[in-house]
Amino acid sequence: MGALTKAELAEHLHTELGLSKREAKSMVEAFFEEIRSCLRENEQVKLSGFGNFDLRDKRERPGRNPKTGEEIPISARRVVTFRPGQKLKAQVEDFEGPLTY
Amino acid sequence: MTKSELIEQIAMRQPELSVKDVEAAVRIILDDVTDALAEGGRVEIRGFGSFSLHYREPRTGRNPKTGDPVELEGKFVPHFKPGKELREQVNASRALGY
């Protein structure tokens, strides 16, 4: 089974809602762009039932080049974390596996 | 930002779509991602990131009230890995003072 992509999501909006292909594609783009734009402004995004996209500021910490073993500090950065909601967690935890990827 | 605010924002930017259509579209997108994961699939959104499942080994937990040990089965949990573009944009926002 291949991964779900924006193209499939748009196709589904086209068949399910009767949006034109162009509208469906633009809707899918707008969905992810809107979330990204919020996160870019350091604002959390909460999608009830699905999960929350949170931002965390990390301090600089010691790191290592795994190939050479050389010590290099990992710079301070802001990262996105995803906390799945109850409903999403409940839906996936009974998957029997094994994963195909 | 909440789901309803997200719907409003998208509706403002997609004037050719009714709020009802945007609402339905957001629900379908989130349901499709959920269903793909529930079937053990992956979701790959270029420029945004990917969703997949991670396996958690069975372990002995504790009832937080009584402290009694509880056997917990192995399970799958959803995982999101931000894509390069999202990672870079979010990290750049730090430098911009957001």
Side-chain angles (χ1 to χ4, degrees):
Chain A
M1 186 171 52
L4 178 68
T5 63
K6 286 193 273 197
E8 274 106 26
L9 290 170
E11 181 60 25
H12 194 194
L13 296 186
H14 168 64
T15 56
E16 183 93 7
L17 294 178
L19 305 188
S20 73
K21 294 208 171 184
R22 200 177 51 82
E23 286 170 341
K25 186 165 180 258
S26 146
M27 172 64 222
V28 172
E29 289 293 342
F31 175 82
F32 292 105
E33 173 50 32
E34 201 53 54
I35 296 175
R36 210 167 35 212
S37 141
C38 249
L39 295 173
R40 257 199 316 259
E41 289 172 22
N42 201 19
E43 189 186 338
Q44 178 198 39
V45 178
K46 305 198 308 189
L47 304 176
S48 68
F50 185 75
N52 297 352
F53 294 93
D54 297 321
L55 296 146
R56 297 185 67 174
D57 284 334
K58 306 273 219 180
R59 278 190 286 189
E60 182 183 285
R61 61 191 168 89
R64 210 175 262 284
N65 179 329
K67 275 203 188 122
T68 63
E70 185 193 356
E71 276 200 45
I72 314 167
I74 298 169
S75 57
R77 62 190 63 199
R78 179 172 294 159
V79 297
V80 178
T81 60
F82 175 67
R83 293 203 53 183
Q86 282 306 325
K87 195 176 134 204
L88 177 60
K89 279 202 275 192
Q91 296 260 4
V92 310
E93 73 180 7
D94 292 330
F95 174 66
E96 296 289 340
L99 294 173
T100 52
Y101 48 88
Chain B
M1 182 171 74
T2 63
K3 200 193 288 179
S4 50
E5 288 162 348
L6 173 68
I7 291 166
E8 268 175 50
Q9 285 296 322
I10 298 172
M12 254 180 354
R13 280 157 206 234
Q14 307 284 114
E16 73 280 13
L17 299 183
S18 68
V19 176
K20 251 186 108 180
D21 276 342
V22 174
E23 244 167 31
V26 165
R27 179 174 42 77
I28 291 171
I29 293 171
L30 294 176
D31 284 352
D32 282 359
V33 172
T34 303
D35 292 348
L37 293 173
E39 289 163 17
R42 273 176 70 85
V43 181
E44 287 177 9
I45 306 297
R46 193 168 305 165
F48 186 77
S50 61
F51 295 89
S52 60
L53 296 185
H54 281 186
Y55 183 63
R56 294 279 176 266
E57 296 287 341
R59 64 188 177 89
T60 306
R62 299 241 166 229
N63 178 326
K65 276 207 185 118
T66 62
D68 292 343
V70 192
E71 292 310 321
L72 297 172
E73 287 177 30
K75 64 173 182 182
F76 285 93
V77 295
H79 178 75
F80 173 68
K81 182 167 189 261
K84 186 160 179 274
E85 209 176 313
L86 178 61
R87 272 203 317 268
E88 286 175 356
Q89 288 179 5
V90 160
N91 194 38
S93 75
R94 202 178 135 263
L96 295 173
Y98 276 111

